[in-house]
Amino acid sequence: MTGVNCAQTITEAEMLSRISRGDQEAFAYLYDAWSGRMYALIVQILVDRAQSEEVLQEVFLEIWQRAPQFDADKGSGRAWMVTIARRRAIDRVRSSQRARERENSWTNYLPDIDSTLAQVEERLAGAEVHEALAAIGEPHKTAVALAYFTGMTHVEIAEYQGVPVGTAKTRIRDGIKKLRTVMGVEQ
């Protein structure tokens, strides 16, 4: 593929065929020819321009990777690429929507940690427990408080703190060890 005049006569299907063989020049031409239109389509679906730019890059990466799977007998190259762009944009909308729903469901479910912790600390041996928890520091203090004073599971604590489950478990275990040391309890 040399020169613009030659490239203008090549169909999308032919460019995809060349791309499937690793032709970077064909891919660059396809990107230049189609990125504006694809971006406009994606922005119509997502509205958010920053996310649209990310999705556009994902679309062209998928085109590069899946070009060998394109079959001109099943449809045009244009329709194949537009389908990829639409699907990626709709997937992003659904993913964002699910993330918002998860966040909202946790907000409604979780107790007010600060007030719960304050109430439990007042009921227990008061000052001693409070001082011991303060002495072990973060993130152990919060992990121990969530585990023992709110009844949250390790998975819930991990999601609440935005860490892997193993990290939440380690924080609780290490926090209990520190708490025992601070309070002078034998292990």
Side-chain angles (χ1 to χ4, degrees), residues 68-83:
Q69 298 170 3
F70 170 70
D71 184 356
D73 294 334
K74 292 183 180 178
S76 71
R78 176 180 305 198
W80 184 75
M81 293 185 306
V82 167
T83 300

Side-chain angles (χ1 to χ4, degrees), residues 21 31 37 42 53 104 107 132 138-139 143 165-166 169 187:
R21 295 188 301 270
Y31 184 87
R37 291 180 243 179
I42 294 166
E53 290 172 6
N104 290 340
T107 303
E138 291 295 343
V165 175
K169 288 180 179 181
Q187 294 183 7

